[in-house]
Every structure is written in C-alpha cells, then in structure tokens.
Amino acid sequence: MDDSDATGPTGPADQPKPEDPQDPEEPPEAYPLRPALEAVLMVADQPLDHVTLASAVGHPPAVVETELVELARSYDDEGRGFELRRIAGGWRFFTRAEYGGAVERFVLEGQQARLTQAALETMAVVAYRQPVSRARVSAIRGVNVDGVMRTLVTRGLVAEAGTDSETGAVLYATTPYFLERMGLSSLDELPDLAPFLPSMDDMDDPEVLGGGAAPVTPEPPEGEGAEPEGDEHV
C-alpha cells in the first residue's frame, strides 16, 4: 500500500475552516449600575426614560427599570434630602418637599418668584381647552392674552400645536415641561375642572366673526398696568 492509500483522499471537509470575522459592533461598556445611573441623572436637565438610561450605562432596559425603582425606594428609606421621582414619562432627581424651604432660601434669598395670576389663568385655559387659539383664550378670559401667551411660550410651558382647519389660527397646547413643573405624568391627571369652564358653543367665535361679537379688554400699554412678563417665573 502506497502513501496515498494510507492517508486517504483529501476532501473539502478536511480543509481548515476560515475564522469568522469579528462583529464590528461591540456592546457598550457596562458601568457599575447604581452609581452610573446616579451620575447620569445628576446632570440631566429633563426626565430620562429607562431606555435612554440603559443606553448610557450599558445595561438591559428591564434591569435598569427595576434598579430605578429600587434606587428611589432606597432614597426614601434613608431619608435623603432629595428623591428620585418618575415624572413625565421619565426619571429625575428632585429636592424632597420638606427641605424645599432651605433650597428656596439659598437660591432665591427668601423671595419666591411666581407666574402672575393672569398667566396662571391663561395657562389653565390652555391646559383644559387645548389645542386652542389665542383668540379663544381671550374670549374665555375676557381680556387680551397676547402678552401672557408670549410669556408662557418663552417659559416653555406652552407651544404651538398646528393650525385651526377652519380659521387658520395658530393653536397652542401645553408642553412636557408643563407636566414636569406641575408634577404630572400625563394630562389625564389634571383635576376635573373642565366642566366649570364655559363651552365654546355658548359664546360667539371671535375668529369666525372677525372679533366683533366677543369683545375683550385691550391689553394695557407698557407701564400703565400691563401684566408684567420679565419677572414671571415658575
């Protein structure tokens, strides 16, 4: 028997297999979960959902969501001066309510700046009637709200939300920041006050009738009782 008989035939199955190419997309680096979540939440300027946080810390979203709940509970159990709150579809650190006075004293030197009564009333109308135009808000309040609406838009509490299909007027609605400042997760949590607001069917539409049928008080000139805008804060 010669050498060829001893070694046998060489087929494709006997050839060495090429190495599989490495996956170019490596998983993100996983940081220690709890301290990594705290670090990211500490610098966040808005609520972050668990999916966004999972991408940042390199852990599965389900694991991150469970850890967020446990983290919030641990802060409550330890009586920390801050709390981790689920709000507006995400998570964010907040000063605990019982220590708000100390923070207020430090930041505002004992003075709490708020929205004016006019701004609060206008924001309430928008919240319950949204999407709504400025003319309709003026009709409900009985005064011109152009200046106040500009203030609410500047503060990020209200934003444009399309146009009316019949009149072409710009419509306004509340923003996620509004939910955050009000401490709400959704508009469904608003108190049931809508029945106390007048129905638009009970009043003339100033946009359709040219504004003559629903008179409103003109906005006072600057310096003569005009609603202040520059010093309004939430």
Side-chain angles (χ1 to χ4, degrees):
M1 181 167 28
D2 57 21
D3 292 342
S4 62
D5 292 334
T7 57
T10 301
D14 300 314
Q15 299 295 328
K17 295 181 180 180
E19 296 183 359
D20 295 332
Q22 294 183 351
D23 187 353
E25 296 184 2
E26 296 182 358
E29 180 182 358
Y31 294 92
L33 182 53
R34 180 164 292 200
L37 287 174
E38 291 176 326
V40 175
L41 288 166
M42 190 66 68
V43 299
D45 59 358
Q46 61 184 358
L48 301 177
D49 59 48
H50 68 284
V51 176
T52 302
L53 288 167
S55 176
V57 302
H59 288 268
V63 174
V64 169
E65 186 171 28
T66 300
E67 183 65 18
L68 287 167
V69 174
E70 292 298 323
L71 195 57
R73 183 180 295 113
S74 71
Y75 294 148
D76 293 339
D77 293 341
E78 296 169 10
R80 297 292 189 92
F82 57 91
E83 61 182 326
L84 180 58
R85 191 186 306 171
R86 191 201 302 261
I87 189 170
W91 295 82
R92 189 176 182 186
F93 283 131
F94 286 86
T95 300
R96 202 169 292 277
E98 52 263 44
Y99 303 114
V103 176
E104 180 179 320
R105 185 183 305 164
F106 172 72
V107 176
L108 302 177
E109 297 180 351
Q111 297 180 358
Q112 185 178 18
R114 300 178 182 272
L115 285 171
T116 62
Q117 184 66 29
L120 289 172
E121 291 175 1
T122 300
M123 188 167 61
V125 174
V126 175
Y128 284 101
R129 292 298 187 187
Q130 61 185 306
V132 64
S133 66
R134 284 187 298 180
R136 291 195 172 189
V137 176
S138 295
I140 292 174
R141 287 201 57 223
V143 295
N144 187 302
V145 299
D146 288 357
V148 177
M149 287 292 287
R150 285 194 299 269
T151 295
L152 295 176
V153 170
T154 300
R155 302 291 185 205
L157 297 165
V158 170
E160 294 185 7
T163 57
D164 188 289
S165 58
E166 296 182 357
T167 65
V170 176
L171 301 177
Y172 293 87
T174 55
T175 64
Y177 181 63
F178 165 82
L179 293 177
E180 180 184 343
R181 299 302 297 176
M182 295 296 108
L184 305 173
S185 295
S186 70
L187 292 174
D188 295 335
E189 296 182 5
L190 283 170
D192 190 16
L193 298 178
F196 296 96
L197 292 175
S199 171
M200 292 309 303
D201 296 334
D202 297 335
M203 62 179 64
D204 296 318
D205 191 336
E207 296 167 2
V208 175
L209 300 178
V216 297
T217 303
E219 188 174 26
E222 184 71 24
E224 298 182 13
E227 297 169 341
E229 295 180 21
D231 59 348
E232 295 173 356
H233 300 281
V234 177

